[in-house]
Amino acid sequence: MKKQRFSETQIASILKQYEGGREALELCREHGISKATLYNWRKKYAGMDSSHIRELKALQDENRRLKQMYAELMLDHQLAKHIISKKVIKPCQKRELAESVIKEQSISVGRACRVIHLQRSLWYYRSGKDDSAIIDKLSSLADRFPTRGFDKYYAIIRIEGNKWARSRVLRVYREMNLCRRRRHKKRLPSRIKEPLQKQLLPNQSYSMDFMSDSLVSGRKLRIFKVVDDCTRESLAVWCDYSITGQKVTEILEQITAERGKPLQVRVDNGPEFTGKAFSEWCSDRSIIIKYIQPGKPMQNAYIERLNRTYREDVLDAYLFESLEELRILSDEWQHGYNHLMPHQSLNNQTPAKAHQSACRGHFI
């Protein structure tokens, strides 16, 4: 049966007839309604005339509309809280944010655009510009001239005959984040791989290296160490907050005053060893500097083995409150290592004993 919609006047008239004494079954048959509908009308609108019923229905509609409006505002508020921490300025950024909100919250495009304040036309707009040639050109220039800026790049582009507008090239330049200066690699001369050679006499070759650690307070420390490649003696373990190339030469000056100068030293490519102070000190004393290849610490294996022992016995075994505490422990460790610790490559002799044997010509 086709559903009918009764007006307020009709409902009031039916209820008035029912209250006047007419049978409910007769009224229901006459107007085509069920007895449940009649009793619901009586429960809601008993004692009301048509104007009162009209006002009640209007209030119910208004209440339903306000509830729907409140629900929509609450949803918009939740979306706003979700995106308020994200800084968006450009329309392309707003479009990306709208895409993520639609995907995560499963809302309509219209609602997302309204909350983010993005025009619907910008949502559907797709640029037809092709900047691939400019991107390739700027990438090649940045790789070739990493320390130059936009003005220099654009001048080169114009010299080569490209007619791209400056504003367009600048826009692509900024989108590629090339305005941030790139850190380029330090250029080192090519290092020749030279295998470790077993030294037959002491004071022929020294190996040197740095280690890092920190105090309990978090302050950084550096440790400079020197080893004799022949006898494996630890010649220096100097700890300080900062060790420059000048300080390295002072420590080596003390060692050479006691033992004599070596023929060569093996070092890595750190700034202390490639600097002017160390290079000139070695050159003035005719000491050959053997640089290992960058990233190849195994080419300086003698000092790396000493580093491991020192770290296990001292750095990993104690917590240091002060620099002086580390220096005392390092001196005690160096004395024990040289005079008490046998070395397998020295036929289980201590480094000090091996030095004495080599000086007498009996070192194997």
Side-chain angles (χ1 to χ4, degrees):
M1 184 174 65
K2 185 178 180 181
K3 185 176 180 179
Q4 295 182 357
R5 184 174 181 85
F6 292 87
S7 64
E8 295 80 3
T9 304
Q10 290 174 328
I11 294 174
S13 175
I14 294 172
L15 291 177
K16 189 173 182 180
Q17 294 178 34
Y18 178 72
E19 293 173 357
R22 291 193 61 180
E23 294 290 336
L25 186 60
E26 182 182 351
L27 283 172
C28 292
R29 188 182 303 111
E30 179 181 347
H31 297 285
I33 60 175
S34 64
K35 293 178 70 174
T37 301
L38 178 62
Y39 293 146
N40 286 334
W41 285 350
R42 181 186 175 189
K43 184 178 180 180
K44 287 183 179 180
Y45 310 124
M48 297 184 183
D49 56 15
S50 60
S51 60
H52 293 158
I53 296 175
R54 188 179 300 109
E55 291 176 1
L56 179 60
K57 282 193 171 184
L59 289 175
Q60 290 176 346
D61 293 339
E62 181 68 16
N63 187 35
R64 183 168 51 254
R65 188 179 65 83
L66 290 175
K67 285 183 178 180
Q68 183 178 1
M69 184 185 301
Y70 176 76
E72 292 178 353
L73 289 176
M74 284 298 296
L75 179 59
D76 292 347
H77 178 66
Q78 292 178 0
L79 294 175
K81 287 177 62 178
H82 176 72
I83 65 176
I84 195 171
S85 60
K86 301 179 180 179
K87 183 179 180 181
V88 290
I89 299 176
K90 299 179 180 179
C92 59
Q93 296 174 337
K94 290 185 177 181
R95 183 164 55 234
E96 293 176 358
L97 182 58
E99 290 177 354
S100 64
V101 169
I102 292 172
K103 183 177 181 181
E104 295 174 4
Q105 305 295 331
S106 300
I107 62 175
S108 64
V109 174
R111 181 181 294 277
C113 292
R114 183 174 66 252
V115 174
I116 300 175
H117 301 290
L118 176 68
Q119 296 182 7
R120 293 284 292 271
S121 59
L122 291 177
W123 164 262
Y124 292 107
Y125 173 76
R126 293 294 181 269
S127 175
K129 297 178 180 178
D130 184 12
D131 297 325
S132 58
I134 302 178
I135 293 174
D136 294 341
K137 189 62 182 177
L138 288 176
S139 298
S140 64
L141 290 175
D143 292 336
R144 186 177 178 184
F145 308 108
T147 60
R148 304 298 190 272
F150 170 77
D151 293 334
K152 187 66 67 175
Y153 292 164
Y154 186 70
I156 296 174
I157 289 173
R158 298 296 288 183
I159 290 174
E160 292 179 353
N162 296 301
K163 302 300 182 181
W164 299 317
R166 186 181 187 278
S167 58
R168 182 183 178 187
V169 178
L170 180 59
R171 174 180 57 81
V172 177
Y173 179 85
R174 289 173 176 171
E175 289 177 355
M176 296 174 64
N177 286 328
L178 294 178
C179 49
R180 301 176 183 177
R181 184 176 293 273
R182 291 186 174 186
R183 296 183 60 184
H184 54 283
K185 293 183 178 180
K186 181 180 179 181
R187 302 301 176 185
L188 295 172
S190 59
R191 305 300 188 190
I192 301 174
K193 181 179 180 181
E194 297 184 6
L196 286 173
Q197 296 179 352
K198 184 177 180 180
Q199 303 297 324
L200 301 178
L201 295 173
N203 296 335
Q204 298 294 306
S205 176
Y206 292 169
S207 295
M208 299 181 288
D209 195 17
F210 284 89
M211 297 181 69
S212 299
D213 207 83
S214 62
L215 299 177
V216 175
S217 61
R219 187 168 183 179
K220 300 297 183 181
L221 297 172
R222 300 203 74 194
I223 303 99
F224 172 65
K225 296 194 303 306
V226 184
V227 66
D228 190 311
D229 294 349
C230 176
T231 63
R232 308 298 197 274
E233 290 178 277
S234 176
L235 306 180
V237 180
W238 178 255
C239 311
D240 209 336
Y241 298 118
S242 176
I243 302 177
T244 62
Q246 183 62 38
K247 185 62 180 179
V248 170
T249 60
E250 293 175 4
I251 297 172
L252 293 176
E253 193 68 39
Q254 296 176 4
I255 296 174
T256 55
E258 297 175 359
R259 301 171 60 96
K261 69 175 184 177
L263 298 179
Q264 67 177 24
V265 290
R266 182 179 293 270
V267 295
D268 59 17
N269 296 276
E272 300 84 3
F273 300 133
T274 57
K276 182 178 179 181
F278 179 77
S279 300
E280 290 183 351
W281 185 88
C282 293
S283 177
D284 294 342
R285 290 156 181 79
S286 301
I287 299 175
I288 302 173
I289 304 176
K290 298 285 187 178
Y291 289 105
I292 66 174
Q293 293 178 310
K296 304 288 185 180
M298 68 287 296
Q299 296 179 9
N300 204 3
Y302 294 140
I303 193 66
E304 292 295 339
R305 181 63 183 85
L306 183 69
N307 288 348
R308 175 188 168 185
T309 304
Y310 177 76
R311 181 169 292 279
E312 291 176 347
D313 295 346
V314 180
L315 298 182
D316 291 345
Y318 301 95
L319 295 176
F320 310 107
E321 298 286 346
S322 64
L323 178 62
E324 188 63 27
E325 180 181 354
L326 176 59
R327 287 177 175 174
I328 294 173
L329 289 172
S330 297
D331 291 342
E332 294 176 354
W333 173 86
Q334 181 173 256
H335 181 270
Y337 180 85
N338 289 336
H339 295 85
L340 302 176
M341 186 65 62
H343 205 290
Q344 188 174 4
S345 64
L346 304 176
N347 294 328
N348 288 324
Q349 298 183 85
T350 63
K353 184 67 175 178
H355 182 264
Q356 296 175 4
S357 300
C359 292
R360 292 195 301 265
H362 303 298
F363 179 71
I364 299 178

